[in-house]
Amino acid sequence: GENVEQHPSTLSVQEGDSAVIKCTYSDSASNYFPWYKQELGKRPQLIIDIRSNVGEKKDQRIAVTLNKTAKHFSLHITETQPEDSAVYFCAANPGAGSYQLTFGKGTKLSVIP
Amino acid sequence: DAGITQSPRHKVTETGTPVTLRCHQTENHRYMYWYRQDPGHGLRLIHYSYGVKDTDKGEVSDGYSVSRSKTEDFLLTLESATSSQTSVYFCAIGVAGGNEQFFGPGTRLTVL
């Protein structure tokens, strides 16, 4: 089955700096890669996703990049703000056509004012 | 919030008792999922459904069963709860062929 590794497990940045979270996946047939943000005590919320037919996608201060050859994808947050503090999860679908997701173990991002 | 509700939101029970958690959606989505979330493990899939009476096992299905007799309801049952099943349980619905998943508010279950 699919295996998703996520690094780092914790990340602290100064407000205004950039943050990068990286994930690797094992199934070369995976074609959908979402990112979720979970604030303390809340549900995970989908913030951005990318499909395997594109290499990069941006939405305001967040972007995701995908390297299919290396089987890794990354979340980039620019101009970080205190409200970006949360746990971020990456995920991948285990094979094209699959309607399941396999999640990474999460990265706790702390933005220091 | 994609019209997803979970009940109860909090439950404390004793080892050996049966427990049923309910997930309800109002938008007629075909795909529904149950996950558990534990520190250091992220979100792990317990069971999922791809239609009424169509269900399958996920990564951590031992000790859990599910039922889906109506499109809008997906039930998760712990036949005999154990302390290892203390967790936060999230239901999710899937759109766009199931890949895009949206989560319910969660149920915090404590098994004493």
Side-chain angles (χ1 to χ4, degrees):
Chain A
E2 176 70 278
N3 183 46
V4 177
E5 299 282 343
Q6 183 171 347
H7 299 279
S9 57
T10 60
L11 179 60
S12 291
V13 299
Q14 291 291 136
E15 182 178 356
D17 287 349
S18 296
V20 180
I21 303 170
K22 299 181 179 180
C23 288
T24 60
Y25 61 98
S26 60
D27 190 340
S28 58
S30 295
N31 63 356
Y32 177 69
F33 308 92
W35 285 90
Y36 287 81
K37 176 183 180 182
Q38 186 178 28
E39 297 176 352
L40 190 62
K42 304 291 187 181
R43 73 188 80 188
Q45 299 221 317
L46 179 64
I47 56 171
I48 195 167
D49 56 14
I50 191 167
R51 298 188 185 273
S52 59
N53 56 348
V54 299
E56 183 176 2
K57 183 177 179 180
K58 290 183 179 180
D59 183 3
Q60 300 183 342
R61 294 186 299 106
I62 62 173
V64 57
T65 58
L66 172 64
N67 183 326
K68 289 176 59 180
T69 302
K71 290 191 284 187
H72 68 71
F73 56 111
S74 300
L75 177 71
H76 304 254
I77 306 174
T78 59
E79 301 173 19
T80 53
Q81 302 169 1
E83 52 265 38
D84 294 329
S85 296
V87 178
Y88 292 81
F89 293 96
C90 63
N93 64 332
S98 169
Y99 40 80
Q100 300 175 55
L101 291 174
T102 299
F103 286 82
K105 289 182 166 52
T107 296
K108 183 177 181 181
L109 173 64
S110 300
V111 180
I112 304 164
Chain B
D1 293 336
I4 311 166
T5 58
Q6 292 183 231
S7 58
R9 295 292 314 281
H10 302 271
K11 186 171 182 67
V12 179
T13 192
E14 295 190 348
T15 298
T17 60
V19 176
T20 296
L21 308 183
R22 179 182 183 234
C23 178
H24 179 78
Q25 55 133 334
T26 59
E27 299 180 358
N28 234 26
H29 295 293
R30 177 182 175 189
Y31 301 99
M32 297 184 76
Y33 308 82
W34 276 108
Y35 291 89
R36 60 178 290 174
Q37 185 174 39
D38 305 289
H41 290 278
L43 292 151
R44 293 182 291 174
L45 181 64
I46 306 171
H47 281 279
Y48 61 97
S49 170
Y50 44 96
V52 172
K53 298 187 179 177
D54 289 325
T55 64
D56 207 345
K57 296 178 180 181
E59 175 189 358
V60 290
S61 59
D62 287 349
Y64 301 95
S65 62
V66 290
S67 66
R68 192 165 178 205
S69 58
K70 300 184 291 185
T71 299
E72 58 266 35
D73 288 325
F74 192 30
L75 304 180
L76 177 70
T77 297
L78 291 65
E79 301 289 349
S80 178
T82 67
S83 59
S84 64
Q85 294 176 311
T86 292
S87 187
V88 179
Y89 291 85
F90 285 101
C91 170
I93 57 95
V95 302
N99 284 169
E100 292 183 34
Q101 296 186 16
F102 298 90
F103 288 83
T107 294
R108 182 172 296 276
L109 176 67
T110 302
V111 184
L112 301 175

